[in-house]
DNA sequence: TGACTTTGTGCCGCTACTAAACAAAGTACG
DNA sequence: CGTACTTTGTTTAGTAGCGGCACAAAGTCA
């Protein structure tokens, strides 16, 4: 029943057009059974069955004829759809100031294997990415699974279409490094099949949260996060990352949130960047940051150990007000239907969710915008999973050609 | 060859799927001949021919077998594709503080007939919209052409999905008026066929400019304009208006552009709204606005009559700097590949384009963003044409069902 | 145990396309 | 002036995807 994909096939003939959407439904967990797959795709049962069979033949999903527990509903129990645990994986990688991490991520966004990287301090991206890719290649060899491609998350804006890292924060890399090209070269040299992609870590975190985390079901998802220094933003529209025309959208760090604030290198003063990042928090709390662990970790520790310290409380309130002002500005411009916070911003939200929501509601127009849900990130290693999403995307778009192109 | 559209047709069977894209290509002027239609659609000549024939049978376009001037190229001259001048039209309407305007807009965004409205001062939207629709109905009757639907542009944010006007600027309407519903009722009562739509005027202007004006070909188009009071923004992504989850996106008026600026009703100070609108311009130029004509007209007159007046020059420079700061903020967030300015902002751009571009380049990150083209609006009555686009949209999406549904 | 409900599957036909061969309508050039 | 060439339109045949339908399968409910 399979093996008929060798017929004449031309540019616009994308084969079975429902194949991609169907795989995406399974991938995002929205099609647990063939019955709901039928409903979600809006096709007949016959078509849905054929599509599922084809995806199974491709080794991507499994159709479980044994329903197990029938959930108590009437009628014939539906066959369950699940990701094939022996199916292909994507190689995901992430570099950050404390080191790197490589992982294999299967369909559905599950991390299959991971290799926490030791610190590689080098001003040469090629060297660092070489180590990252080697770790990933080792994981791949160990698992013996097929690879659909590789994705890399970097803590820097990535300019399109060149794929250069414009501000590799605290990586000691030169600004403008050709990370995408370097990563792709290393991937190819390591003999890893499939295309290689590179993206900003906050962007990729947002993508991952949208598909597998707190952002599921949102149409316009705004994600704001601060890691060690600076603030990053991301926007997912209709399930696709909005990176703007040059990949530089959602550079939200320089919204003015405090007219009397400290000066910023951008030329303004009181920018979100310098007013709500971990350094701002520590100084507002009257602490002198030490050099041993990351500023984010120090902030977290401080919040956890002495949440009732007067200085900490003041700092939390101050940063929440500033962050709220920034989020309100973004709400006025983007009008998202959900906001997700990561890093220190997530901690601030946890510390006093009511206050943050109140500020956003107060300063965004049309009171009803105050109803925007603001949620914390829920996924572990969301940037990593998001990097894998990049690699999976071609398969999700068109499983047939993506998988057949690779075997060539 | 026609009349076969009465066969069984179900939810997902959208008939000839290339029909909509083909019509859109003709509509936006990107398919002057059948040959380029073939290329743009990425189909065979046979298919393109059939699609064109079907659109002609629907009375939407004309296939000109007489090529006229063959443009000097080699090979057989291609048949020209043109909008059918006897084809259906959309009823477009616009209300503004100085009155209203109704028009018939054909495919391609050409205004076929127009009725400049006398001033209707009324706090009752139903009364005003009744007069607008009546004027439109008269135009329709006079033209004798079929109507695909109606669109209305209002100078107010329109909340989705209810379609209420949240801040009907200077219309004396109550905030929260159900404009969409009221307009739809009046349209139905007037016996006008087709669905009725309502949108914000700046949003619709952006849509029109994107399809027929200065925004043609842009993928991420940002439009900023100020009419009489306040500033409006709009974003067109991939050819579709981005209105956000509640229709309130691009409320750009409250970006901070002057930390020491005048207070704004939003709670902040130095907002784009109060710093770059006509009132701000007139006061910065040391003029006392009179009540006779609109503030925008007074500003234009002042710019035209005494551009070298010292006060005017200072005011122009000041407002350009403020506007540039606001645009830079938007560039950092949205990263558009083109910016279009309307109303007074357009006049400011014309007055000193270099200065505005320099400010935007200086204050948006990654110098290359300074390369964002900033252009003036080019379309007359772009909000009106945009309103018509709303009405045309169902036809562009699926000509077959949209036109057949109407005749029922 | 039988009626009912829901899900999966085989078969038929429709339709929107591609492919390929041919026809048409012009230019380029001897 | 006529022939070769180039590009465009048209006809015909063939194919793939999917809807519609009838039937089978697998459970629940009385």
């Amino acid at each position: 029943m399979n093996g008929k994909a060798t017929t004449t096939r031309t540019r616009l003939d994308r084969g079975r057009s429902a194949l991609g959407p169907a795989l995406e439904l399974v991938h995002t967990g929205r099609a647990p059974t063939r019955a709901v797959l039928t409903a979600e795709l809006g096709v007949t049962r016959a078509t849905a069955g054929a599509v599922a069979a084809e995806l199974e033949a491709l080794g991507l999903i499994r159709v479980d004829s044994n329903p197990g527990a029938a959930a108590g509903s009437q009628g014939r129990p539906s066959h369950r759809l699940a990701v094939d645990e022996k199916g292909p994986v994507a190689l995901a990688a992430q570099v950050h100031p404390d080191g790197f991490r490589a992982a294999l991520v299967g369909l559905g966004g599950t991390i299959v294997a991971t290799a926490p990287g030791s610190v590689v301090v080098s001003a040469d991206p090629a060297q660092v990415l070489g180590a990252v890719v080697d770790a990933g290649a080792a994981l791949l060899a160990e698992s013996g699974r097929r690879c659909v491609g590789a994705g890399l998350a970097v803590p820097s804006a990535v300019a399109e279409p060149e794929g250069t890292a414009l501000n590799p924060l605290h990586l000691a890399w030169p600004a403008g490094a050709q990370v995408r090209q370097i990563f792709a070269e290393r991937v190819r040299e390591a003999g890893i099949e499939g295309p290689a992609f590179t993206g900003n870590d906050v962007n990729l975190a947002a993508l991952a949260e949208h598909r597998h985390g707190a952002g599921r079901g949102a149409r316009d998802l705004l994600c704001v996060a601060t890691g060690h220094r600076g603030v990053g933003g991301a926007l997912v529209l209709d399930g696709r990352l909005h990176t703007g025309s040059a990949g530089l959208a959602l550079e939200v760090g320089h919204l003015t949130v405090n007219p009397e604030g400290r000066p910023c290198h951008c030329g303004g003063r009181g920018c979100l960047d310098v007013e709500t990042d971990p350094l701002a928090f520590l100084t507002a709390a009257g602490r002198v940051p030490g050099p041993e662990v990351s500023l984010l970790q120090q902030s977290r520790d401080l919040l956890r150990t002495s949440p009732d310290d007067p200085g900490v409380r003041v700092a939390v309130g101050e940063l929440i007000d500033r962050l709220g002002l920034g989020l309100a500005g973004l709400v006025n411009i983007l009008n998202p239907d959900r906001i997700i916070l990561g890093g220190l911003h997530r901690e601030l939200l946890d510390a006093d969710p009511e206050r943050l929501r109140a500020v956003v509601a107060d300063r965004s127009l049309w009171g009803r915008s105050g109803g925007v849900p603001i949620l914390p990130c829920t996924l572990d290693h969301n940037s990593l999973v998001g990097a894998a999403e990049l690699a999976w995307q071609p398969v999700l778009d068109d499983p047939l050609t993506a998988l057949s192109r690779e075997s060539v």
Side-chain angles (χ1 to χ4, degrees), chain A residues 138-170:
Chain A
L139 285 177
L140 259 181
E142 195 181 342
S143 76
R145 292 169 76 169
R146 185 176 172 188
C147 181
V148 297
L152 170 70
V154 293
S156 161
V158 177
E160 302 292 342
E162 314 88 5
T164 54
L166 290 174
N167 56 347
L169 286 168
H170 291 235

PDB file of all heavy atoms in Angstrom, chain A residues 138-170:
ATOM      1  N   ALA A 138      27.130  12.592  18.858  1.00  0.00           N
ATOM      2  CA  ALA A 138      27.317  11.435  19.738  1.00  0.00           C
ATOM      3  C   ALA A 138      25.964  10.904  20.214  1.00  0.00           C
ATOM      4  O   ALA A 138      25.714   9.696  20.212  1.00  0.00           O
ATOM      5  CB  ALA A 138      28.192  11.834  20.932  1.00  0.00           C
ATOM      6  N   LEU A 139      25.093  11.831  20.596  1.00  0.00           N
ATOM      7  CA  LEU A 139      23.757  11.428  21.021  1.00  0.00           C
ATOM      8  C   LEU A 139      23.030  10.682  19.909  1.00  0.00           C
ATOM      9  O   LEU A 139      22.396   9.640  20.135  1.00  0.00           O
ATOM     10  CB  LEU A 139      22.931  12.663  21.405  1.00  0.00           C
ATOM     11  CG  LEU A 139      23.239  13.348  22.733  1.00  0.00           C
ATOM     12  CD1 LEU A 139      22.365  14.581  22.896  1.00  0.00           C
ATOM     13  CD2 LEU A 139      23.015  12.389  23.882  1.00  0.00           C
ATOM     14  N   LEU A 140      23.171  11.222  18.694  1.00  0.00           N
ATOM     15  CA  LEU A 140      22.490  10.619  17.551  1.00  0.00           C
ATOM     16  C   LEU A 140      22.998   9.204  17.307  1.00  0.00           C
ATOM     17  O   LEU A 140      22.209   8.277  17.106  1.00  0.00           O
ATOM     18  CB  LEU A 140      22.738  11.469  16.310  1.00  0.00           C
ATOM     19  CG  LEU A 140      21.618  12.404  15.868  1.00  0.00           C
ATOM     20  CD1 LEU A 140      22.018  13.137  14.616  1.00  0.00           C
ATOM     21  CD2 LEU A 140      20.330  11.633  15.645  1.00  0.00           C
ATOM     22  N   ALA A 141      24.319   9.064  17.323  1.00  0.00           N
ATOM     23  CA  ALA A 141      24.910   7.752  17.066  1.00  0.00           C
ATOM     24  C   ALA A 141      24.443   6.760  18.124  1.00  0.00           C
ATOM     25  O   ALA A 141      24.103   5.611  17.819  1.00  0.00           O
ATOM     26  CB  ALA A 141      26.437   7.859  17.067  1.00  0.00           C
ATOM     27  N   GLU A 142      24.418   7.216  19.360  1.00  0.00           N
ATOM     28  CA  GLU A 142      24.009   6.351  20.457  1.00  0.00           C
ATOM     29  C   GLU A 142      22.566   5.893  20.294  1.00  0.00           C
ATOM     30  O   GLU A 142      22.234   4.735  20.559  1.00  0.00           O
ATOM     31  CB  GLU A 142      24.172   7.128  21.766  1.00  0.00           C
ATOM     32  CG  GLU A 142      24.128   6.287  23.023  1.00  0.00           C
ATOM     33  CD  GLU A 142      24.265   7.196  24.240  1.00  0.00           C
ATOM     34  OE1 GLU A 142      24.715   8.346  24.071  1.00  0.00           O
ATOM     35  OE2 GLU A 142      23.909   6.763  25.341  1.00  0.00           O
ATOM     36  N   SER A 143      21.717   6.827  19.860  1.00  0.00           N
ATOM     37  CA  SER A 143      20.290   6.492  19.772  1.00  0.00           C
ATOM     38  C   SER A 143      19.979   5.650  18.547  1.00  0.00           C
ATOM     39  O   SER A 143      19.012   4.892  18.540  1.00  0.00           O
ATOM     40  CB  SER A 143      19.460   7.764  19.718  1.00  0.00           C
ATOM     41  OG  SER A 143      19.547   8.347  18.421  1.00  0.00           O
ATOM     42  N   GLY A 144      20.775   5.811  17.505  1.00  0.00           N
ATOM     43  CA  GLY A 144      20.525   5.063  16.291  1.00  0.00           C
ATOM     44  C   GLY A 144      19.292   5.512  15.539  1.00  0.00           C
ATOM     45  O   GLY A 144      18.778   4.790  14.678  1.00  0.00           O
ATOM     46  N   ARG A 145      18.785   6.673  15.850  1.00  0.00           N
ATOM     47  CA  ARG A 145      17.567   7.118  15.184  1.00  0.00           C
ATOM     48  C   ARG A 145      17.882   8.081  14.046  1.00  0.00           C
ATOM     49  O   ARG A 145      18.943   8.698  13.990  1.00  0.00           O
ATOM     50  CB  ARG A 145      16.649   7.774  16.203  1.00  0.00           C
ATOM     51  CG  ARG A 145      16.123   6.754  17.182  1.00  0.00           C
ATOM     52  CD  ARG A 145      15.441   7.401  18.354  1.00  0.00           C
ATOM     53  NE  ARG A 145      14.116   7.893  18.007  1.00  0.00           N
ATOM     54  CZ  ARG A 145      13.252   8.303  18.921  1.00  0.00           C
ATOM     55  NH1 ARG A 145      13.569   8.276  20.208  1.00  0.00           N
ATOM     56  NH2 ARG A 145      12.070   8.732  18.541  1.00  0.00           N
ATOM     57  N   ARG A 146      16.938   8.132  13.157  1.00  0.00           N
ATOM     58  CA  ARG A 146      17.102   8.989  11.998  1.00  0.00           C
ATOM     59  C   ARG A 146      16.942  10.456  12.411  1.00  0.00           C
ATOM     60  O   ARG A 146      16.234  10.766  13.356  1.00  0.00           O
ATOM     61  CB  ARG A 146      16.050   8.629  10.976  1.00  0.00           C
ATOM     62  CG  ARG A 146      16.210   9.372   9.678  1.00  0.00           C
ATOM     63  CD  ARG A 146      15.179   8.882   8.674  1.00  0.00           C
ATOM     64  NE  ARG A 146      15.189   9.718   7.489  1.00  0.00           N
ATOM     65  CZ  ARG A 146      14.286   9.601   6.519  1.00  0.00           C
ATOM     66  NH1 ARG A 146      13.346   8.697   6.620  1.00  0.00           N
ATOM     67  NH2 ARG A 146      14.349  10.392   5.466  1.00  0.00           N
ATOM     68  N   CYS A 147      17.634  11.347  11.689  1.00  0.00           N
ATOM     69  CA  CYS A 147      17.614  12.760  12.044  1.00  0.00           C
ATOM     70  C   CYS A 147      16.940  13.574  10.936  1.00  0.00           C
ATOM     71  O   CYS A 147      17.255  13.412   9.761  1.00  0.00           O
ATOM     72  CB  CYS A 147      19.051  13.256  12.253  1.00  0.00           C
ATOM     73  SG  CYS A 147      19.146  14.986  12.717  1.00  0.00           S
ATOM     74  N   VAL A 148      15.991  14.404  11.307  1.00  0.00           N
ATOM     75  CA  VAL A 148      15.295  15.216  10.305  1.00  0.00           C
ATOM     76  C   VAL A 148      15.959  16.568  10.088  1.00  0.00           C
ATOM     77  O   VAL A 148      15.612  17.287   9.148  1.00  0.00           O
ATOM     78  CB  VAL A 148      13.831  15.474  10.710  1.00  0.00           C
ATOM     79  CG1 VAL A 148      13.049  14.171  10.779  1.00  0.00           C
ATOM     80  CG2 VAL A 148      13.758  16.219  12.028  1.00  0.00           C
ATOM     81  N   GLY A 149      16.898  16.915  10.953  1.00  0.00           N
ATOM     82  CA  GLY A 149      17.555  18.207  10.809  1.00  0.00           C
ATOM     83  C   GLY A 149      18.029  18.706  12.154  1.00  0.00           C
ATOM     84  O   GLY A 149      17.863  18.035  13.167  1.00  0.00           O
ATOM     85  N   ALA A 150      18.638  19.881  12.137  1.00  0.00           N
ATOM     86  CA  ALA A 150      19.208  20.419  13.366  1.00  0.00           C
ATOM     87  C   ALA A 150      18.767  21.859  13.569  1.00  0.00           C
ATOM     88  O   ALA A 150      18.545  22.595  12.613  1.00  0.00           O
ATOM     89  CB  ALA A 150      20.733  20.346  13.306  1.00  0.00           C
ATOM     90  N   GLY A 151      18.625  22.217  14.836  1.00  0.00           N
ATOM     91  CA  GLY A 151      18.256  23.589  15.171  1.00  0.00           C
ATOM     92  C   GLY A 151      19.125  24.099  16.301  1.00  0.00           C
ATOM     93  O   GLY A 151      19.500  23.348  17.193  1.00  0.00           O
ATOM     94  N   LEU A 152      19.447  25.384  16.244  1.00  0.00           N
ATOM     95  CA  LEU A 152      20.312  25.989  17.252  1.00  0.00           C
ATOM     96  C   LEU A 152      19.662  27.242  17.814  1.00  0.00           C
ATOM     97  O   LEU A 152      19.150  28.076  17.060  1.00  0.00           O
ATOM     98  CB  LEU A 152      21.666  26.348  16.617  1.00  0.00           C
ATOM     99  CG  LEU A 152      22.621  27.208  17.454  1.00  0.00           C
ATOM    100  CD1 LEU A 152      23.161  26.410  18.639  1.00  0.00           C
ATOM    101  CD2 LEU A 152      23.763  27.730  16.589  1.00  0.00           C
ATOM    102  N   ALA A 153      19.705  27.370  19.134  1.00  0.00           N
ATOM    103  CA  ALA A 153      19.190  28.571  19.792  1.00  0.00           C
ATOM    104  C   ALA A 153      20.355  29.361  20.353  1.00  0.00           C
ATOM    105  O   ALA A 153      21.197  28.821  21.070  1.00  0.00           O
ATOM    106  CB  ALA A 153      18.224  28.184  20.916  1.00  0.00           C
ATOM    107  N   VAL A 154      20.395  30.643  20.015  1.00  0.00           N
ATOM    108  CA  VAL A 154      21.478  31.492  20.510  1.00  0.00           C
ATOM    109  C   VAL A 154      20.901  32.702  21.242  1.00  0.00           C
ATOM    110  O   VAL A 154      19.838  33.210  20.881  1.00  0.00           O
ATOM    111  CB  VAL A 154      22.389  31.982  19.358  1.00  0.00           C
ATOM    112  CG1 VAL A 154      23.136  30.820  18.743  1.00  0.00           C
ATOM    113  CG2 VAL A 154      21.591  32.718  18.301  1.00  0.00           C
ATOM    114  N   PRO A 155      21.584  33.185  22.270  1.00  0.00           N
ATOM    115  CA  PRO A 155      21.103  34.357  23.000  1.00  0.00           C
ATOM    116  C   PRO A 155      21.497  35.644  22.294  1.00  0.00           C
ATOM    117  O   PRO A 155      22.281  36.431  22.807  1.00  0.00           O
ATOM    118  CB  PRO A 155      21.806  34.229  24.355  1.00  0.00           C
ATOM    119  CG  PRO A 155      23.086  33.532  24.036  1.00  0.00           C
ATOM    120  CD  PRO A 155      22.805  32.618  22.871  1.00  0.00           C
ATOM    121  N   SER A 156      20.931  35.820  21.123  1.00  0.00           N
ATOM    122  CA  SER A 156      21.269  36.993  20.324  1.00  0.00           C
ATOM    123  C   SER A 156      20.207  37.185  19.271  1.00  0.00           C
ATOM    124  O   SER A 156      19.559  36.219  18.850  1.00  0.00           O
ATOM    125  CB  SER A 156      22.626  36.790  19.634  1.00  0.00           C
ATOM    126  OG  SER A 156      22.768  37.687  18.555  1.00  0.00           O
ATOM    127  N   ALA A 157      20.004  38.402  18.856  1.00  0.00           N
ATOM    128  CA  ALA A 157      19.160  38.630  17.701  1.00  0.00           C
ATOM    129  C   ALA A 157      19.835  38.002  16.494  1.00  0.00           C
ATOM    130  O   ALA A 157      21.059  38.076  16.352  1.00  0.00           O
ATOM    131  CB  ALA A 157      18.950  40.120  17.481  1.00  0.00           C
ATOM    132  N   VAL A 158      19.065  37.351  15.660  1.00  0.00           N
ATOM    133  CA  VAL A 158      19.597  36.713  14.467  1.00  0.00           C
ATOM    134  C   VAL A 158      19.034  37.446  13.256  1.00  0.00           C
ATOM    135  O   VAL A 158      17.825  37.454  13.032  1.00  0.00           O
ATOM    136  CB  VAL A 158      19.228  35.222  14.418  1.00  0.00           C
ATOM    137  CG1 VAL A 158      19.719  34.600  13.136  1.00  0.00           C
ATOM    138  CG2 VAL A 158      19.804  34.495  15.624  1.00  0.00           C
ATOM    139  N   ALA A 159      19.907  38.061  12.501  1.00  0.00           N
ATOM    140  CA  ALA A 159      19.461  38.855  11.361  1.00  0.00           C
ATOM    141  C   ALA A 159      19.111  37.955  10.193  1.00  0.00           C
ATOM    142  O   ALA A 159      19.843  37.012   9.882  1.00  0.00           O
ATOM    143  CB  ALA A 159      20.546  39.852  10.958  1.00  0.00           C
ATOM    144  N   GLU A 160      17.996  38.278   9.560  1.00  0.00           N
ATOM    145  CA  GLU A 160      17.592  37.561   8.358  1.00  0.00           C
ATOM    146  C   GLU A 160      17.920  38.417   7.144  1.00  0.00           C
ATOM    147  O   GLU A 160      17.866  39.635   7.232  1.00  0.00           O
ATOM    148  CB  GLU A 160      16.082  37.288   8.388  1.00  0.00           C
ATOM    149  CG  GLU A 160      15.618  36.490   9.591  1.00  0.00           C
ATOM    150  CD  GLU A 160      16.108  35.064   9.562  1.00  0.00           C
ATOM    151  OE1 GLU A 160      16.513  34.608   8.470  1.00  0.00           O
ATOM    152  OE2 GLU A 160      16.109  34.422  10.617  1.00  0.00           O
ATOM    153  N   PRO A 161      18.200  37.799   6.013  1.00  0.00           N
ATOM    154  CA  PRO A 161      18.224  36.358   5.805  1.00  0.00           C
ATOM    155  C   PRO A 161      19.614  35.763   6.005  1.00  0.00           C
ATOM    156  O   PRO A 161      19.789  34.573   5.778  1.00  0.00           O
ATOM    157  CB  PRO A 161      17.812  36.225   4.342  1.00  0.00           C
ATOM    158  CG  PRO A 161      18.341  37.469   3.705  1.00  0.00           C
ATOM    159  CD  PRO A 161      18.401  38.533   4.758  1.00  0.00           C
ATOM    160  N   GLU A 162      20.577  36.565   6.442  1.00  0.00           N
ATOM    161  CA  GLU A 162      21.960  36.057   6.507  1.00  0.00           C
ATOM    162  C   GLU A 162      22.154  35.063   7.653  1.00  0.00           C
ATOM    163  O   GLU A 162      22.950  34.137   7.551  1.00  0.00           O
ATOM    164  CB  GLU A 162      22.946  37.216   6.680  1.00  0.00           C
ATOM    165  CG  GLU A 162      22.700  38.400   5.767  1.00  0.00           C
ATOM    166  CD  GLU A 162      21.723  39.372   6.400  1.00  0.00           C
ATOM    167  OE1 GLU A 162      21.343  39.139   7.562  1.00  0.00           O
ATOM    168  OE2 GLU A 162      21.347  40.353   5.722  1.00  0.00           O
ATOM    169  N   GLY A 163      21.439  35.282   8.758  1.00  0.00           N
ATOM    170  CA  GLY A 163      21.637  34.407   9.901  1.00  0.00           C
ATOM    171  C   GLY A 163      22.847  34.778  10.719  1.00  0.00           C
ATOM    172  O   GLY A 163      23.575  33.909  11.210  1.00  0.00           O
ATOM    173  N   THR A 164      23.077  36.072  10.873  1.00  0.00           N
ATOM    174  CA  THR A 164      24.208  36.512  11.681  1.00  0.00           C
ATOM    175  C   THR A 164      23.734  36.900  13.075  1.00  0.00           C
ATOM    176  O   THR A 164      22.643  37.436  13.245  1.00  0.00           O
ATOM    177  CB  THR A 164      24.892  37.733  11.039  1.00  0.00           C
ATOM    178  OG1 THR A 164      23.902  38.748  10.819  1.00  0.00           O
ATOM    179  CG2 THR A 164      25.507  37.366   9.716  1.00  0.00           C
ATOM    180  N   ALA A 165      24.596  36.628  14.053  1.00  0.00           N
ATOM    181  CA  ALA A 165      24.267  36.988  15.434  1.00  0.00           C
ATOM    182  C   ALA A 165      24.687  38.426  15.671  1.00  0.00           C
ATOM    183  O   ALA A 165      25.871  38.744  15.621  1.00  0.00           O
ATOM    184  CB  ALA A 165      24.972  36.047  16.402  1.00  0.00           C
ATOM    185  N   LEU A 166      23.726  39.289  15.946  1.00  0.00           N
ATOM    186  CA  LEU A 166      24.050  40.715  16.023  1.00  0.00           C
ATOM    187  C   LEU A 166      24.586  41.132  17.382  1.00  0.00           C
ATOM    188  O   LEU A 166      25.444  41.993  17.480  1.00  0.00           O
ATOM    189  CB  LEU A 166      22.803  41.526  15.682  1.00  0.00           C
ATOM    190  CG  LEU A 166      22.406  41.419  14.215  1.00  0.00           C
ATOM    191  CD1 LEU A 166      21.096  42.128  13.962  1.00  0.00           C
ATOM    192  CD2 LEU A 166      23.504  42.011  13.336  1.00  0.00           C
ATOM    193  N   ASN A 167      24.068  40.543  18.423  1.00  0.00           N
ATOM    194  CA  ASN A 167      24.524  40.908  19.762  1.00  0.00           C
ATOM    195  C   ASN A 167      24.633  39.672  20.650  1.00  0.00           C
ATOM    196  O   ASN A 167      23.849  39.499  21.566  1.00  0.00           O
ATOM    197  CB  ASN A 167      23.580  41.935  20.384  1.00  0.00           C
ATOM    198  CG  ASN A 167      22.147  41.414  20.404  1.00  0.00           C
ATOM    199  OD1 ASN A 167      21.847  40.420  19.744  1.00  0.00           O
ATOM    200  ND2 ASN A 167      21.296  42.052  21.177  1.00  0.00           N
ATOM    201  N   PRO A 168      25.577  38.811  20.358  1.00  0.00           N
ATOM    202  CA  PRO A 168      25.700  37.570  21.140  1.00  0.00           C
ATOM    203  C   PRO A 168      26.046  37.883  22.593  1.00  0.00           C
ATOM    204  O   PRO A 168      27.219  37.962  22.957  1.00  0.00           O
ATOM    205  CB  PRO A 168      26.804  36.794  20.426  1.00  0.00           C
ATOM    206  CG  PRO A 168      27.527  37.796  19.610  1.00  0.00           C
ATOM    207  CD  PRO A 168      26.605  38.913  19.325  1.00  0.00           C
ATOM    208  N   LEU A 169      25.011  38.019  23.396  1.00  0.00           N
ATOM    209  CA  LEU A 169      25.163  38.510  24.758  1.00  0.00           C
ATOM    210  C   LEU A 169      26.036  37.591  25.602  1.00  0.00           C
ATOM    211  O   LEU A 169      25.716  36.425  25.796  1.00  0.00           O
ATOM    212  CB  LEU A 169      23.782  38.632  25.400  1.00  0.00           C
ATOM    213  CG  LEU A 169      22.925  39.812  24.918  1.00  0.00           C
ATOM    214  CD1 LEU A 169      21.498  39.640  25.405  1.00  0.00           C
ATOM    215  CD2 LEU A 169      23.515  41.112  25.406  1.00  0.00           C
ATOM    216  N   HIS A 170      27.116  38.103  26.098  1.00  0.00           N
ATOM    217  CA  HIS A 170      27.956  37.390  27.056  1.00  0.00           C
ATOM    218  C   HIS A 170      28.483  36.071  26.519  1.00  0.00           C
ATOM    219  O   HIS A 170      28.747  35.155  27.277  1.00  0.00           O
ATOM    220  CB  HIS A 170      27.192  37.169  28.365  1.00  0.00           C
ATOM    221  CG  HIS A 170      26.975  38.457  29.098  1.00  0.00           C
ATOM    222  ND1 HIS A 170      27.360  38.646  30.386  1.00  0.00           N
ATOM    223  CD2 HIS A 170      26.432  39.617  28.715  1.00  0.00           C
ATOM    224  CE1 HIS A 170      27.051  39.869  30.762  1.00  0.00           C
ATOM    225  NE2 HIS A 170      26.473  40.480  29.763  1.00  0.00           N
TER     226      HIS A 170
END
